[in-house]
Amino acid sequence: MTRCDCTAAWAALQTRFDTDARALDLRTAFAQNPDRFAHFSQQAPHVFADLSKNLLDAPTEGLLLDLARECGLEAQRDAMFAGTAINTTEQRAVMHWLLRYPAVALANTEHSAINNVAAELQQVHQTLDAMLAYADTVRSDAAITDIVNIGIGGSDLGPQMAVLALDAFAIPGKRFHFVSNVDGHELASTLTRLKPESTLFLIASKTFTTIETMTNARSAKAWFAAQGGTDIARHFAALTTNVEAAQAFGISTTFGFWDWVGGRYSLWSAIGLPLAIAIGPQGFRDFLAGAHAMDEHFRTAPLAANLPVRLGLLDVWYRNFHGFGSRSIAPYHSALKRWPAYLQQLEMESNGKRVDAAGEALPFSTSPVLWGEPGTNGQHAYFQMLHQGTEVVPVEFVAVKKERHALAGHQTLLLANVLAQAQALMVGKSDAGGHKHFPGNRPSTFLLLDELTPASLGALIALQEHRVFVSGSLWGINSFDQWGVELGKVLAMDVATRLASGDVTGLDGSTAGLLARLRS
Ligand code: F6P
C-alpha cells in the first residue's frame, strides 16, 4: 500500500490542477461536451448518481484512477473483504459487510475469500435469526407500545436515522424513542411519556461501558423499579459485544455482535434491533440485501465504473487539490432528517485523522466537515452562503423520485426545488450590481433513489461506508479506530471528581475558573 502523496499520479494531479483543472468552468464543460451527463453519471444498485456537476473532466478522472491503482486501493478493498485485520491499531478485521452477506452455500460463491470467514458468517446468521424472531415477538405484543433505544454514537445515530427514514414502513401502534445524551433532560422528558408495563428498553452499546449509556441505563432501570416494574427480562434487552457486562447489569435478554464491527458501522448488527422491530424481519432482510448489492458492486465493479470509488476519489480531489474544507449534505426527503448527523460520525470519526496508519504525521488534509439539513428547509437558512459566500462548499443532494404520501402538488415542488438548487449553484446569474450576482460554477453531486425503501436505504448507506473507505485508504489512514474521542472521556472523569471536591490543583486557569463558577 502506497500513501497518496508518494505516487506519481499525485504529482501529476497537482500539475493538472495548477495548469488546467483549477480554471474548469462547468458551464463551458457542458457546452463543449454533450455526453458529459452520460459520462459522469451512473446507475449503481438502487442509487443513480450524477457527478457531472462536479469540477472534474476526463483527464483528471483518469489521473484519479491512476492514483487509486498506485495506492493499491483494489488490494486494500480485497483485504477488507477477505477478513484481514486492516484495523491495525486495534488488530481487528473490518467486516460490517459480512453482516449483510446472505446465508448462501459457501461453495457456490465466486467470492472465494468468504471461506476465510465461514465460521463468522454462520454466527452472523444465527444471531440475525434470533434477533429477527425477537423483533417479531415484540411486534406482535400489543402490550408493548413504546420502544426506547438507549445508546450513543453508532449505537444511536444509525438506528435513529433509519427508523425515521423508513417511518412509512413502520408497524402502527408502536412509538420509538432514542435517548443518547447524558443530559438527564433527555431521559427525564422521555420517561414522562412512558408507562413501565408498556415500555421496552433496548440498551445499545458495543462496549457496554460508555458512560452516557450506562448512566441512562441505570436511571431507566431505577425508574422502572420505582414505577413498580419487576419483569426486567421482558422490559429490557441489551445489544452488545459485551454480553457478560450486560448480564452483570441484570439484563438477561441479550443479542451479541463482534469486535470486527465498528460502532459507526454497526447498524446491520443487533444494534439494528429498533429498525427490525419497526419494519419487521422481511423489511430488515431487504435492508441488508440492498446493502449487500452495493457491497458486491464495490467489490467487483471496475474502478472507473465503481460508484463508491468515484465518490471517494472526488472527495480526495476536492479536499487535497481544491482545498474544500466541508461538504454540505442536502437530503430532499424529510424522513432523511438525521442523514447529515449519521454521515458526520461515519466520515468524520473514520477519517478525521492527522497521522497515517504507521503513526506518521500527514502533510495533507483529511476528512472535511460534513453538515446539513433536509431540503427545502436549508434553502431558507444557509443556502445564501452556498450560492454567494466566499467559500466554495460542494453539496451532496439526495432526492427520491416517488413519494409515499397522497398530498397533491408537494412532490413536484420538492423535486423542482432540488433540481433548481443544483442548477442555480452551477449556472449562477450575472448582475453588475454585485448583490444580485451569483458566480455559479459551484459543484454538487446528485444521488437519486426511485423510492425510499429498506433496500434503497441499505444501498445508500453502504455506498457512503465504502466511499469513506476509499478516501481513507488513499490517505493511508486507519479509518476504523477513533482514538481522538478518548482524551475527553478520561478528563471528564477527573473533572467530575473535582466538581464534587472543588480541588483545582494543577488545572489550567480557564478550567479552574469555570469550575469554581459552576460550584458557586
Ligand atoms: O466515543 C466514540 C464511540 O466509541 C463511538 O465510536 C461509538 O459509536 C460510541 O462511542 C458508542 O460506543 P458504544 O456502542 O460502545 O457505547
Side-chain angles (χ1 to χ4, degrees):
M1 145 182 162
T2 308
R3 209 174 73 189
C4 55
D5 58 323
C6 305
T7 61
W10 186 262
L13 279 161
Q14 192 58 61
T15 306
R16 171 136 196 93
F17 180 75
D18 294 338
T19 55
D20 242 319
R22 184 202 296 272
L24 185 137
D25 188 286
L26 288 166
R27 295 154 291 199
T28 315
F30 271 101
Q32 287 175 346
N33 180 6
D35 294 331
R36 184 174 171 87
F37 175 73
H39 180 82
F40 285 107
S41 62
Q42 81 172 91
Q43 179 68 56
H46 300 281
V47 184
F48 177 82
D50 173 20
L51 277 64
S52 66
K53 289 204 246 19
N54 281 295
L55 302 172
L56 273 178
D57 57 13
T60 300
E61 188 188 42
L63 289 174
L64 287 167
L65 290 166
D66 290 347
L67 179 69
R69 288 186 202 99
E70 274 193 76
C71 291
L73 175 65
E74 285 154 302
Q76 295 187 62
R77 175 194 63 190
D78 294 348
M80 176 174 76
F81 282 110
T84 309
I86 59 170
N87 174 356
T88 46
T89 60
E90 297 177 315
Q91 291 83 47
R92 289 176 183 165
V94 171
M95 297 203 291
H96 44 278
W97 55 271
L98 192 70
L99 298 167
R100 51 236 188 182
Y101 206 94
V104 288
L106 293 177
N108 288 345
T109 175
E110 48 68 59
H111 177 185
S112 56
I114 196 75
N115 290 299
N116 300 348
V117 290
E120 286 86 346
L121 183 60
Q122 205 179 7
Q123 289 174 21
V124 163
H125 281 280
Q126 272 167 8
T127 310
L128 177 64
D129 292 347
M131 164 190 149
L132 293 184
Y134 178 75
D136 229 5
T137 312
V138 176
R139 281 165 68 84
S140 49
D141 186 341
I144 299 291
T145 54
D146 291 86
I147 291 98
V148 184
N149 190 79
I150 295 184
I152 197 164
S155 300
D156 165 67
L157 289 163
Q160 187 183 162
M161 178 275 291
V163 166
L164 268 167
L166 298 175
D167 60 355
F169 296 80
I171 186 168
K174 302 217 188 279
R175 288 175 293 268
F176 292 84
H177 312 265
F178 290 86
V179 174
S180 53
N181 205 314
V182 75
D183 182 351
H185 189 86
E186 192 170 47
L187 179 61
S189 68
T190 306
L191 293 175
T192 56
R193 290 175 270 145
L194 303 176
K195 294 196 181 76
E197 64 275 15
S198 54
T199 300
L200 171 64
F201 290 99
L202 303 176
I203 313 302
S205 175
K206 177 177 170 182
T207 55
F208 226 76
T209 57
T210 304
I211 195 79
E212 290 91 335
T213 302
M214 291 302 100
T215 305
N216 280 325
R218 269 192 299 275
S219 297
K221 205 169 150 213
W223 171 87
F224 182 75
Q227 301 286 311
T230 49
D231 193 351
I232 296 269
R234 174 168 158 73
H235 293 277
F236 282 77
L239 323 173
T240 183
T241 60
N242 191 353
V243 169
E244 299 75 37
Q247 285 168 347
F249 183 85
I251 300 181
S252 55
T253 310
T254 59
F255 297 95
F257 58 110
W258 305 274
D259 69 1
W260 43 260
V261 183
R264 54 195 172 275
Y265 299 88
S266 63
L267 173 56
W268 322 97
S269 71
I271 294 294
L273 182 57
L275 180 64
I277 296 172
I279 65 174
Q282 190 53 50
F284 197 78
R285 287 191 192 277
D286 293 347
F287 176 66
L288 297 180
H292 178 67
M294 189 61 78
D295 292 339
E296 287 299 280
H297 169 72
F298 178 51
R299 191 177 68 77
T300 60
L303 296 186
N306 192 312
L307 187 56
V309 172
R310 293 176 92 179
L311 284 174
L313 291 177
L314 179 65
D315 295 339
V316 170
W317 175 237
Y318 279 172
R319 190 72 189 103
N320 301 120
F321 296 91
H322 282 277
F324 299 150
S326 85
R327 183 185 327 132
S328 187
I329 307 297
Y332 273 65
H333 193 307
S334 67
L336 288 171
K337 199 180 297 184
R338 297 294 286 163
W339 181 240
Y342 175 75
L343 291 185
Q344 280 176 335
Q345 187 197 15
L346 180 62
E347 187 150 344
M348 293 162 75
E349 199 173 71
S350 296
N351 285 349
K353 314 275 166 72
R354 55 172 291 285
V355 297
D356 66 15
E360 294 293 324
L362 294 171
F364 50 78
S365 302
T366 58
S367 176
V369 176
L370 270 65
W371 57 283
E373 283 287 326
T376 58
N377 298 17
Q379 290 173 212
H380 298 273
Y382 52 77
F383 268 54
Q384 162 67 39
M385 181 265 199
L386 297 180
H387 288 288
Q388 289 187 316
T390 51
E391 305 289 312
V392 173
V393 178
V395 182
E396 187 159 294
F397 295 101
V398 182
V400 180
K401 198 162 134 190
K402 196 161 160 230
E403 75 275 38
R404 279 204 159 247
H405 60 78
L407 299 175
H410 289 252
Q411 182 69 359
T412 305
L413 272 177
L414 182 70
L415 294 178
N417 270 280
V418 64
L419 276 178
Q421 289 300 324
Q423 184 190 24
L425 284 165
M426 178 176 75
V427 298
K429 179 172 170 284
S430 287
D431 188 281
H435 297 291
K436 295 179 183 172
H437 179 75
F438 292 71
N441 205 34
R442 302 211 160 185
S444 65
T445 297
F446 201 101
L447 303 178
L448 179 61
L449 310 180
D450 279 341
E451 210 177 336
L452 186 57
T453 61
S456 69
L457 182 68
L460 185 67
I461 300 170
L463 169 66
Q464 301 292 337
E465 290 177 346
H466 296 322
R467 68 103 68 94
V468 168
F469 177 89
V470 170
S471 52
S473 295
L474 265 61
W475 286 327
I477 61 187
N478 178 0
S479 299
F480 300 101
D481 61 11
Q482 57 284 318
W483 298 107
V485 301
E486 295 304 325
L487 176 61
K489 291 183 188 174
V490 173
L491 293 183
M493 291 298 98
D494 174 57
V495 172
T497 313
R498 290 171 183 271
L499 270 169
S501 68
D503 176 16
V504 295
T505 319
L507 286 182
D508 64 88
S510 170
T511 309
L514 290 168
L515 194 142
R517 234 185 137 78
L518 283 167
R519 278 176 49 82
S520 68

